[in-house]
Structure formats: structure tokens, C-alpha cells
Amino acid sequence: MIEKKVSQGIISTYFSKLERNLDLDVAIVGGGPSGIVAAYYLAKAGLKVAQFDRKLSPGGGMWGGAMMFNQIVVQKEAIEIVKDFDINFESYDEDLFVMDSVESTSALLYKAVHAGATIFNCYSVEDVVFKDNVVSGVVVNWTPVLREGMHVDPINIMAKCVIDGTGHDSEMCKTVARKNGIRLATDTGDVIGERSLDVVSGENEVVNGTKEIYPGLYVCGMAASAVSGTPRMGPIFGGMLMSGKKVAELIIKKLK
Ligand code: 48F
């Protein structure tokens, strides 16, 4: 019966995909541009990487350009990355380029999965796993379960490194800070304690802030900038792409 075979095809391959990803090199929380770029370069380097996004359609804030004007502006420093993803672009100003946001977002997603990364959509990461005070995995649940407030336990996915790519909310950094009694720059205007999450400074907070911010936890994209208390930025995406590549390079150096 074709009906049964279709269902079997979906269920059996989905669960083997999930099982293959219970033990990762890198778990990426959030499927925005910075996280997707990281997923691509990590997978290309041969690492086992999975990305979790709470939405049905990963891509974060990239689909909508700015104010739903679906154009993306990037700085010239990011153009090499744009070329790696085969995205069409045109010169707009001396140092600025524009691309179509739908083409750009779908190219990032396609290339990341094609390179070997697995993207799990509709997954919310609600916590991290600690082993000997090192971030060693993520705790995931279905987004609809959390939205409905259903009393359903999550599952654990172990990873050698976790990336916080959750955008402005920097959710994993906040979780790690809360569990360790650390205050973030965003909460207090300063950071306390030897084990503080770093304050970011410099001209390009996104790229400068892309780092291992706590043992096992890396931060990229707007999450890196937000942790420092930097105000919300304008819609220029080159920093997100560069941040994603930088975090991948840091992890490749550590794990390879
Ligand atoms: O915000 P987002 O696009 O992250 P980004 O890579 O890029 C920022 C830009 O889009 C833009 C900007 C450009 O100048 O400032 O804002 O830093 O995407 C973050 C993604 O993370 C998902 C969320 O659904 C979104 O797609 N996300 C957030 N928290 C969680 C999560 C969570 N706890 N679990 C799973 N996904």
C-alpha cells in the first residue's frame, strides 16, 4: 500500500536522522544567518553539526530584509562569503552590495544542508547540558509543546561545542549566566566575577564578540552583540555572515 509506505518512509528516516544527531560535534541554537553560515563551514570541514530553530521556517531575520522590504545590504568585507554561497549580488555603493533576501536566505539554508549539516525546525532549545561545568549539549522540545504549555519532558542532545545564534535574545548566554550566578552586561551595565561572560567592545561588536564566551559555549551574530549591551543594530547583514564564518573557524581550530 503506497499510503503506508509514504508514512513509513517519513517516520523511519526521520528517526534515524534524529538518532544520528544525538551526539554532535557542534549544536547550533538558532537558524538565523550567522548560525546558518556557521553550519555550512563546520559541515564543510567534516564536523557533525546540527542546527535547531524554533520556527517552521528557519532563516531568522533574513527573509524580511528591513520592514519587509526584502533586500539585503552587505559590506564589501562579506562578499567572499556571499560568493561561497553562490548568491547573486550587485554593487550599490562604493563599499556596499545588495542581494535579494529570499534568494540569500534560501541559498544559505540549501548550502548548509547540502554540505552535510542537519537542520531541525520546530525545535526549541530550552536549556543546556553541563558536564564538569562545561556546556556539553542542549535540551530540546517541540515548539508547539512549549507554546501550549503542555507538561511534556524534553530530550538531551550532546555536543562538544554549542553555539548561541539566537539573535537579540542571546538565550543560551542568558541561561548559562543564570545557572552560574553571572550577570550579563545587558542586565547591569557591567559584568561581575572572574567567570563573567565577556563584555564586547570595538568597532564591529558582532565580529569582535564572536568567541567562546563560556567553556563549551560560543556566541555569534546578534547574540554576540546583544550580550555586550550593544543597542539593536540597523539592517546590515555582512557582520552576521562574517560572525558565522568566524565562529566556525574557531571551532574547527579547536576540534580538528
Ligand atoms: O535573529 P536571527 O536572524 O539571528 P542572527 O543570525 O541575525 C540577526 C539578523 O537577522 C538581524 C540583524 C541584522 O543586522 O540584526 O536581526 O543573529 O535569528 C535567530 C533565530 O534563532 C531562533 C529564532 O527562531 C530565529 O530564527 N531561536 C531563538 N531562540 C531559540 C531559537 C531557541 N531557544 N531555540 C531554537 N531557536
Side-chain angles (χ1 to χ4, degrees), residues 30 32-34 53-54 60-61 123 125 165-166 168 171 222 234 236-237 240:
S34 61
D53 197 283
R54 64 159 56 108
Y123 275 51
V125 178
T166 61
H168 297 270
E171 291 190 25
M222 272 316 294
I236 182 154
F237 278 80
M240 304 305 131

Side-chain angles (χ1 to χ4, degrees), residues 39-51:
Y40 168 74
Y41 288 112
L42 289 163
K44 228 171 144 237
L47 293 172
K48 193 170 161 197
V49 47
Q51 181 158 26

Side-chain angles (χ1 to χ4, degrees), residues 28-36 52-55 57-63 65 123-127 143 164-169 171-172 206 220-224 232-238 240:
I28 305 177
V29 187
S34 61
I36 310 169
F52 304 91
D53 197 283
R54 64 159 56 108
K55 292 187 184 149
S57 308
M62 203 167 183
W63 295 105
Y123 275 51
S124 287
V125 178
E126 54 174 59
D127 205 347
T143 300
D164 184 344
T166 61
H168 297 270
D169 293 334
E171 291 190 25
M172 298 304 108
V206 177
C220 70
M222 272 316 294
R232 196 179 175 108
M233 296 186 10
I236 182 154
F237 278 80
M240 304 305 131

Side-chain angles (χ1 to χ4, degrees), residues 108-188:
L108 296 188
L109 291 165
Y110 169 74
K111 283 270 193 173
V113 177
H114 204 68
T118 305
I119 299 183
F120 290 98
N121 55 345
C122 305
Y123 275 51
S124 287
V125 178
E126 54 174 59
D127 205 347
V128 296
V129 180
F130 284 101
K131 288 268 175 207
D132 302 323
N133 209 31
V134 175
V135 174
S136 306
V138 291
V139 181
V140 302
N141 211 331
W142 294 118
T143 300
V145 162
L146 297 178
R147 285 212 182 125
E148 288 296 318
M150 289 195 275
H151 191 164
V152 177
D153 282 341
I155 58 171
N156 302 316
I157 304 218
M158 303 307 289
K160 292 179 189 141
C161 299
V162 172
I163 300 177
D164 184 344
T166 61
H168 297 270
D169 293 334
S170 43
E171 291 190 25
M172 298 304 108
C173 293
K174 282 184 183 157
T175 300
V176 169
R178 178 175 44 79
K179 288 194 150 183
N180 286 282
I182 296 167
R183 278 182 284 168
L184 294 174
T186 30
D187 301 329
T188 61

Side-chain angles (χ1 to χ4, degrees), residues 182-199:
I182 296 167
R183 278 182 284 168
L184 294 174
T186 30
D187 301 329
T188 61
D190 59 2
V191 181
I192 52 159
E194 220 188 334
R195 284 157 57 229
S196 308
L197 299 184
D198 290 353
V199 178

